[in-house]
């Protein structure tokens, strides 16, 4: 990888940007990363740059009013090798050599290695406070507006050069912290892996910059504090001289670690040359040291960067959690008492299982394009998740093409049944709205939903090494079984009887309706179970009117009492599109309108 360096007429008019391989970027005044705000001769979109096969191709764009100068002549198109340059207006653009790696430390004698504690700097005031604070005030905007990490590194490099006038070069480095935690067989630690994230020189023509590996390792991996090294570049070296210097004949350098989860192993590296007598400047005690303000400034930059990056990490993490938990649950989980809130405990919960129908068939049909199937399933799970979370529930788990949500933890939820039913009806409506639209990702899919209420254990469930938020108990198994029964019963949503009773008592018909479908014996179980369908409000989303539901209730009473002729007549009053009546009508036809001996009103299911 190589970088492009821009150097304007003033020392602060400069930047360094990494060139993306095999991609084109536009140089211009209204570009994002590639803008040159100080150059008045630059058009809004001036030149296209393409880094490929070790060379930079530069092409002037239509509408650019001023020429590009290459090799002293105007040119609309040319290629640059490393160290080549071109000019627009008053700005020199130089193609840097490929990025270096931290130096193996050679070239001079270490005069002093000083550890600078943060508390030492707190009591010292800036000598040039207005300028330093003006630069620092721009730091939050620099971090928040960065397009990506590469852009952030470039902007921080510019800021360090602006805020540390003595610096001749700056860099952002990263130590792979895991690489220094494991000792070898002889008890020694291996050399840590170090990456040079970005570097800048105040004078772009001075070549590559290689930070000292020894200084970076000591500051970030070993001490976690700012370390200052001062070298003598005039002393002759003996073969056994400790290797503590860096390439480039710098006289001093310091490295400040950036602390924070969002920038683990990062460091800010600043280097320069003596401007006077080193013994009276850099080697002086800290209160009189000429570099003290530069170190203090860099420490503040590192602290602000670490804090703001940590905020970004927390926001990103909350963004992930927001997909699985409602705002109320998030508030509890982000509180100071979160560990206690996550402890498993018994609670009254309502559990929702939602499964995608026709999934296996779609996989077989699209065996040659499984990515498309995966994207469609992701869209389906997104509909399920969104409706659960928007109705104050939590997502406990995904099971391939199915999702489980629950209510009643970590906060008690008196409206948990209502919220679960609203979520289920929202999922059903979302699928019904697009199931016949061939261009939609959910085309051809249907869902089955089971909802059950009862006592369960909810919270962080798992081992000491790995745990997840979930819910455990018979009510979970019941909700899963009800979801499975939606297929033979040919209805989208089934409720257990405790949940149905609460819907009848608490929810108005304008929110949801229920109809008791039958009393069944699930496949593989001995006991009978009363199952109830959750029905949308009367209107465009449902073909069933309140009169239809009343007719079905009367038909079910007759069916249970053995009056099958009456029940059959009432069932035929329901619309043909209603598949919920098929269980009763099919069973009546199977026995030729005559109840079997010892009829108890229970329909045995022959499959799951």
């Amino acid at each position: 990888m190589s970088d492009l360096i821009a150097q304007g007429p003033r020392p602060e008019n400069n930047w360094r940007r990494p060139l993306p391989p095999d991609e084109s970027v536009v140089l211009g005044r209204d570009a994002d990363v590639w803008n040159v705000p100080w150059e008045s001769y630059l058009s809004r979109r001036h030149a296209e740059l393409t880094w490929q096969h070790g060379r930079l191709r530069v092409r002037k764009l239509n509408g650019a009013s001023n020429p590009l100068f290459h090799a002293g002549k105007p040119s609309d198109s040319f290629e640059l090798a490393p160290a080549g340059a071109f000019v627009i207006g008053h700005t020199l653009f130089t193609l840097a050599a490929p990025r270096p790696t931290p130096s193996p430390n050679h070239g001079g004698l270490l005069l002093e290695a000083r550890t600078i504690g943060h508390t030492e700097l707190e009591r010292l005031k800036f000598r040039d406070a207005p300028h330093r604070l003006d630069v620092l005030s721009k730091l939050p905007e620099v971090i928040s507006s960065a397009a990506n990490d590469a852009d952030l590194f470039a902007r921080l490099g510019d800021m360090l050069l602006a805020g540390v006038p003595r610096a001749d070069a700056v860099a952002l480095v990263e130590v792979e912290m895991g690489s220094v935690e494991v000792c070898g067989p002889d008890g020694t630690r291996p050399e840590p892996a170090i990456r040079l994230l970005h570097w800048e020189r105040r004078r772009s023509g001075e070549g590559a910059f290689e930070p000292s590996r020894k200084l970076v390792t000591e500051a970030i991996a070993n001490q976690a504090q700012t370390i200052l090294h001062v070298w003598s570049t005039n002393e002759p070296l003996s073969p056994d001289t400790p290797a503590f210097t860096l390439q480039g004949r710098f006289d001093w350098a310091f490295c400040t670690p950036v602390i924070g989860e969002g920038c683990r192993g990062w460091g800010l590296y600043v280097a320069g040359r003596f401007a006077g007598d080193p013994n009276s400047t850099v080697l002086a005690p800290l209160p009189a040291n000429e570099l003290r303000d530069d170190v203090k400034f860099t420490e503040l930059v590192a602290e602000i960067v670490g804090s703001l990056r940590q905020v970004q990490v927390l926001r990103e993490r909350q963004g992930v959690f927001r997909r699985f938990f409602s705002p109320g649950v998030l508030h509890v989980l982000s509180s100071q008492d979160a560990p206690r809130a996550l402890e498993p405990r018994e609670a009254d919960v309502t559990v929702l299982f939602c499964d995608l129908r026709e999934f296996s068939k779609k996989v077989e049909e699209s065996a040659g394009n499984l990515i498309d199937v995966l994207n469609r399933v992701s869209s389906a799970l997104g509909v399920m998740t969104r409706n659960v979370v928007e109705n104050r529930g939590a997502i406990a788990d995904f099971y391939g093409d199915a999702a489980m949500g629950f209510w009643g933890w970590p906060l008690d939820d008196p409206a948990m049944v209502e919220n679960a039913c609203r979520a289920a009806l929202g999922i059903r409506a979302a699928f019904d709205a697009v199931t016949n639209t061939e261009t939609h990702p959910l085309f051809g899919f249907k869902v089955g939903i089971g909802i059950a209420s009862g006592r369960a254990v909810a919270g962080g469930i798992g081992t000491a090494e790995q745990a997840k938020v979930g819910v455990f108990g018979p009510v979970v198994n019941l909700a899963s079984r009800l979801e499975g029964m939606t297929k033979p019963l040919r209805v989208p949503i089934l409720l257990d009887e405790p949940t149905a009773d609460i819907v009848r008592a608490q929810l108005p018909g304008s929110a949801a309706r229920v109809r008791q479908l039958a009393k069944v014996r699930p496949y593989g179980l001995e006991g009978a179970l009363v199952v109830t369908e959750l029905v949308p409000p009367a209107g465009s989303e449902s073909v069933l009117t309140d009169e239809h539901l009343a007719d079905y209730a009367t038909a079910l009473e007759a069916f249970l009492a053995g009056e099958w002729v009456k029940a059959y007549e009432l069932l035929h009053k329901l619309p043909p599109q209603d598949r919920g009546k098929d269980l009763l009508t099919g069973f009546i036809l199977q026995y030729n309108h005559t109840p079997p001996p010892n009829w108890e009103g229970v329909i045995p299911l022959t499959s799951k």
Side-chain angles (χ1 to χ4, degrees), residues 297-308:
F297 173 83
T298 307
E299 287 255 1
L300 288 173
V301 171
E303 187 174 343
I304 295 171
V305 169
S307 298
L308 293 181

Side-chain angles (χ1 to χ4, degrees), residues 100-294:
T101 57
S103 167
N105 308 311
H106 54 81
L109 179 65
L110 181 70
L111 295 180
E112 181 170 349
R114 179 182 299 179
T115 300
I116 302 175
H118 189 68
T119 54
E120 293 182 75
L121 297 168
E122 286 182 345
R123 62 177 180 268
L124 300 177
K125 296 181 180 180
F126 279 127
R127 295 187 179 97
D128 184 16
H131 172 69
R132 310 275 184 165
L133 295 178
D134 179 63
V135 177
L136 283 172
S137 68
K138 299 179 175 63
L139 185 54
E141 182 183 357
V142 164
I143 296 176
S144 62
S145 62
N148 48 45
D149 279 352
D151 185 20
L152 172 63
F153 300 152
R155 296 183 184 207
L156 287 176
D158 295 343
M159 175 164 284
L160 286 173
L161 285 176
V164 185
R166 293 177 182 84
D168 292 302
V170 297
L172 278 88
V173 294
E174 179 183 30
V175 175
E176 295 184 10
M177 301 300 286
S179 63
V180 299
E181 294 174 358
V182 180
C183 294
D186 59 353
T188 61
R189 297 184 185 274
E191 280 290 315
I194 298 176
R195 288 200 307 138
L196 185 57
L197 301 174
H198 183 81
W199 62 273
E200 299 263 5
R201 276 188 182 272
R202 195 173 296 280
R203 299 171 185 84
S204 60
E206 292 188 339
F209 173 49
E210 301 180 21
S212 164
R213 175 183 292 274
K214 180 70 73 174
L215 174 53
V216 171
T217 303
E218 189 67 19
I220 299 175
N222 296 340
Q223 298 287 337
Q225 293 190 85
T226 295
I227 304 291
L228 169 67
H229 279 181
V230 183
W231 297 280
S232 170
T233 57
N234 298 320
E235 295 287 339
L237 297 182
S238 63
D240 58 349
T241 297
F244 274 89
T245 72
L246 70 167
Q247 187 181 32
R249 297 297 174 181
F250 289 99
D251 300 316
W252 58 265
F254 62 85
C255 184
T256 299
V258 182
I259 308 300
E261 185 180 350
C263 39
R264 189 168 183 262
W266 287 14
L268 306 180
Y269 192 100
V270 181
R273 300 177 179 87
F274 291 133
D277 181 5
N279 293 319
S280 64
T281 57
V282 182
L283 296 179
L286 194 60
N289 194 297
E290 289 297 322
L291 288 178
R292 70 172 220 183
D293 284 4
D294 300 328

Side-chain angles (χ1 to χ4, degrees), residues 294-333:
D294 300 328
V295 176
K296 184 179 178 72
F297 173 83
T298 307
E299 287 255 1
L300 288 173
V301 171
E303 187 174 343
I304 295 171
V305 169
S307 298
L308 293 181
R309 288 283 294 190
Q310 183 66 18
V311 170
Q312 287 181 337
V313 168
L314 293 175
R315 285 178 177 173
E316 291 171 2
R317 192 172 294 167
Q318 278 204 332
V320 173
F321 288 156
R322 197 172 289 115
R323 297 164 55 193
F324 302 98
F325 300 108
S326 65
V329 175
L330 276 177
H331 178 72
V332 173
L333 298 183

Side-chain angles (χ1 to χ4, degrees), residues 56-78:
L56 180 65
R57 187 169 65 250
V58 182
R59 182 176 65 88
K60 181 182 176 183
L61 296 175
N62 293 332
S65 55
N66 293 303
L68 284 68
F69 287 90
H70 174 239
K73 299 178 181 179
S75 179
D76 291 343
S77 180
F78 51 88

Side-chain angles (χ1 to χ4, degrees), residues 452-475:
S453 300
R455 295 291 287 181
V457 174
I461 299 175
T463 66
E465 292 77 18
Q466 187 173 19
K468 63 181 180 180
V469 171
V471 59
F472 174 80
V475 67

Side-chain angles (χ1 to χ4, degrees), residues 501-564:
D501 288 341
I502 294 175
V503 175
R504 294 187 187 98
Q506 297 183 2
L507 268 70
S510 59
R513 299 175 296 168
V514 292
R515 66 165 166 176
Q516 184 176 311
L517 278 181
K519 190 176 184 180
V520 301
R521 182 178 297 111
Y523 179 81
L525 295 185
E526 295 292 332
L529 180 67
V530 175
V531 291
T532 300
E533 179 189 7
L534 181 67
V535 182
S540 57
E541 293 185 5
S542 177
V543 298
L544 297 175
T545 64
D546 290 340
E547 290 75 13
H548 291 146
L549 295 183
D551 287 338
Y552 187 91
T554 305
L556 180 60
E557 290 179 4
F559 177 81
L560 296 174
E563 301 173 4
W564 284 15

